[in-house]
Amino acid sequence: MNDALSRAALAVSAAEGGEVFERLAKELADILGVDIGFIAVFADTTRAELRMLAFSVDGRIRKPFTYRLEGTPCATVVGREFRCVARGARQEFPKNDLLAKHGLESY
């Protein structure tokens, strides 16, 4: 755990300019051993949408976007607790375009 926290702290401290979130998203994905890592904030006052600050897929930063929280795996964790869906994520969240677009089965 300390190693993961140290790596995250180093990623933030080594980033320059507007790269902080991108570097952190990539490093977090690497630390967790996952293909996708992202950092998002609420995009509206009703907390119905999230806006990506950084979105890393296979170690490459993609263009940020905004998406509705309802019907996504994020809706089950934001403001709650950590959750892992090891398999069957597309079946559990059939309306989530991001899972389908990237062929993801876990979250």
Side-chain angles (χ1 to χ4, degrees):
M1 177 62 111
N2 284 338
D3 182 51
L5 292 174
S6 294
R7 286 179 64 186
L10 287 172
V12 170
S13 64
E16 297 178 5
E19 298 177 356
V20 172
F21 296 121
E22 289 90 349
R23 180 96 185 244
L24 185 56
K26 287 167 64 172
E27 192 67 27
L28 288 173
D30 188 52
I31 289 168
L32 296 171
V34 297
D35 297 326
I36 295 177
F38 64 89
I39 299 171
V41 295
F42 287 112
D44 62 341
T45 58
T46 64
R47 296 182 159 210
E49 294 184 344
L50 289 177
R51 179 175 45 87
M52 292 287 182
L53 298 177
F55 184 60
S56 173
V57 179
D58 296 325
R60 297 175 60 204
I61 294 298
R62 302 293 175 96
K63 183 179 177 182
F65 57 92
T66 300
Y67 68 96
R68 297 227 15 104
L69 190 57
E70 183 181 355
T72 70
C74 293
T76 67
V77 297
V78 171
R80 294 182 177 98
E81 60 186 342
F82 175 82
R83 178 176 180 218
C84 175
V85 179
R87 62 183 70 79
R90 284 195 292 173
Q91 289 76 26
E92 187 172 342
F93 303 97
K95 295 181 181 179
N96 186 276
D97 294 339
L98 187 61
L99 295 174
K101 179 179 179 181
H102 291 284
L104 303 175
E105 287 299 331
S106 60
Y107 171 89

